[in-house]
Amino acid sequence: MNWEQPVTTAEQPAVCPLRFDPLAPEQLRDPYPLYTRLRAEQPVFYSAEHEMWIVTRYDDVLEVLRDHRTYSSANAVQATVKPPPPEVLAVMQEGWPLRPTLTESDEPVHRRLRAPVSRVFTPKRVADLEPRLRAATDELIDSFVADGRADVIEKFGWPLPLVAIGDILGVPREDIPMLHRWSYNWLRLLQPTDPVERRVGYARDVVAMQRYFMAALEERAARPTDDLMSGLLAASGDELTMVEMMRVPMNLVIAGHVTVTRAIGNGLVALLNHPDQLDKVRRDPTLVDTMVEEILRYESPAQGLFRTVTAETELGGVRLPVGARLMVHFGSANRDAVFDDADAFDVTRDSANRHLAFGKGIHACVGAPLARLELRIALPRLLDRLPNLRLAGPDATERDVIFFARGFRRVEVAWDV
């Protein structure tokens, strides 16, 4: 398994005087005041610590997302410009290359990868999942409703989206906890802040996940079923190799549950911290759709992705050399002044909400319809079935340290039994 090191420039750009450290406790807790200053004072700036440019303003982020030729997606998820240590690389060599994937590919490869996925991951397939999603939602709530208190992330936030994407893929329910651990550890591997021995363990999980889905595809090639993996095999024909197809369910599992898990936690905390908005949703169920879009804008679960400049260009008044590494910051863009009173959480915000939580352009999230469906079901059902739902004290929440996937590791809630 190779690890591609992004190209960086030898030039020494001017460094922003404001401290950008997404892992600092104060920025994990509330990064938005800093984003406001950055957009006003230096919307495109170089972070020497992270060895990349940070893009914070809505129009600039949108320009990058739409111009896939100037801004390559080849390393869109990899959060570091530094390759892993030898111990980690040795483990990863036991598997297959992680790229290219839907998220981390440019044209024409991206089109070739996306076409068979789009043919089988259809709106009808998502819509047909709704009854099973509603049943799974109630089944999960049934498991803790009598307790009066729970960590809603552990009991509900991550199991529900994994059940959804697992059912589409044809993954046995008993494998769901394992897939969750593997997915989370892949993200931890991409953000190299842990000791080497832990990162070696994360690498082993990534390889195990690859082998799991390769075996699943080989089984379906021999004995087709009616799930998405069989559909992918049938739809791709000779377009994709088995390794390329194996990456598809892996990426759907990771992106398809991490984003929704984050959004469930972010949305629930936002509602509980804004009782006036919660009351509006309780009184008017027709606000559910605008509520979901506002949650995605207000606390974007994907704070941003990464791009590499392919030709010298100018962005936000800043010259970017070939090889410049960018973080395009969805979370900041979604609080820009293109939104009225952007720092306010407003569940009645215009339904034409132009947020960038699912990206734009050719890399717009293929799983966005499923994510929206899950949120439209999950949050109202929690509010309906857990009377007087509230945060369980001043220390009820704990932010996760994976900065590019903003969300909670723990959300303790209580309700009346």
Side-chain angles (χ1 to χ4, degrees), residues 139-155:
E139 181 182 333
L140 287 169
I141 296 175
D142 287 343
S143 70
F144 60 82
V145 66
D147 297 340
R149 180 175 177 139
D151 174 1
V152 77
I153 302 299
E154 177 68 22
K155 296 289 187 178

Side-chain angles (χ1 to χ4, degrees), residues 83-284:
E87 299 93 328
V88 175
L89 284 172
V91 173
M92 295 171 67
Q93 293 295 333
E94 299 172 9
W96 295 273
L98 292 176
R99 286 182 288 270
T101 65
L102 277 173
T103 306
E104 298 186 285
S105 59
D106 296 319
E107 297 288 36
V109 174
H110 177 266
R111 187 184 304 113
R112 183 172 59 82
L113 294 173
R114 190 170 181 123
V117 178
S118 299
R119 287 196 288 268
V120 295
F121 199 52
T122 61
K124 182 181 185 305
R125 188 184 286 272
V126 172
D128 288 347
L129 192 64
E130 182 169 351
R132 294 156 72 183
L133 262 176
R134 292 191 179 279
T137 299
D138 277 326
E139 181 182 333
L140 287 169
I141 296 175
D142 287 343
S143 70
F144 60 82
V145 66
D147 297 340
R149 180 175 177 139
D151 174 1
V152 77
I153 302 299
E154 177 68 22
K155 296 289 187 178
F156 185 83
W158 71 254
L160 180 65
L162 264 180
V163 165
I165 197 67
D167 282 357
I168 287 177
L169 291 170
V171 170
R173 290 281 180 93
E174 59 267 25
D175 291 348
I176 293 298
M178 178 176 64
L179 291 175
H180 172 61
R181 186 184 76 248
W182 288 344
S183 301
Y184 186 75
N185 286 348
W186 186 351
L187 295 178
R188 293 302 297 261
L189 182 64
L190 294 173
Q191 180 172 294
T193 53
D194 288 327
V196 171
E197 59 271 18
R198 288 190 184 177
R199 296 182 66 196
V200 167
Y202 302 156
R204 289 196 181 105
D205 280 348
V206 171
V207 173
M209 194 176 190
Q210 288 184 315
R211 291 172 176 164
Y212 176 91
F213 281 112
M214 183 63 82
L217 285 167
E218 289 171 347
E219 180 179 343
R220 282 158 179 79
R223 290 176 293 278
T225 63
D226 62 352
D227 58 41
L228 187 141
M229 282 194 279
S230 289
L232 183 64
L233 285 164
S236 64
D238 295 329
E239 289 180 80
L240 303 183
T241 67
M242 285 292 283
V243 173
E244 288 172 331
M245 280 188 281
M246 173 268 291
R247 296 188 192 111
V248 171
M250 283 185 66
N251 280 265
L252 290 175
V253 165
I254 295 168
H257 99 272
V258 170
T259 300
V260 178
T261 297
R262 295 294 198 258
I264 288 172
N266 292 345
L268 193 59
V269 171
L271 288 166
L272 296 179
N273 282 333
H274 296 82
D276 59 324
Q277 300 302 305
L278 175 57
D279 185 58
K280 289 179 181 178
V281 174
R282 288 189 187 278
R283 288 188 287 106
D284 185 0

Side-chain angles (χ1 to χ4, degrees), residues 25-84:
E26 67 275 10
Q27 288 185 33
L28 276 175
R29 183 171 56 254
D30 184 10
Y32 298 105
L34 174 64
Y35 297 164
T36 299
R37 287 194 61 188
L38 290 171
R39 289 192 302 271
E41 299 175 26
Q42 205 162 351
V44 179
F45 70 92
Y46 184 74
S47 169
E49 180 179 359
H50 301 288
E51 301 181 51
M52 67 179 71
W53 277 257
I54 314 298
V55 184
T56 61
R57 198 164 51 188
Y58 184 95
D59 288 345
D60 297 329
V61 170
L62 188 59
E63 180 178 340
V64 172
L65 295 178
R66 285 177 169 168
D67 186 356
H68 60 271
R69 293 180 176 84
T70 304
Y71 303 99
S72 169
S73 296
N75 292 287
V77 176
Q78 188 177 321
T80 176
V81 298
K82 300 175 183 178

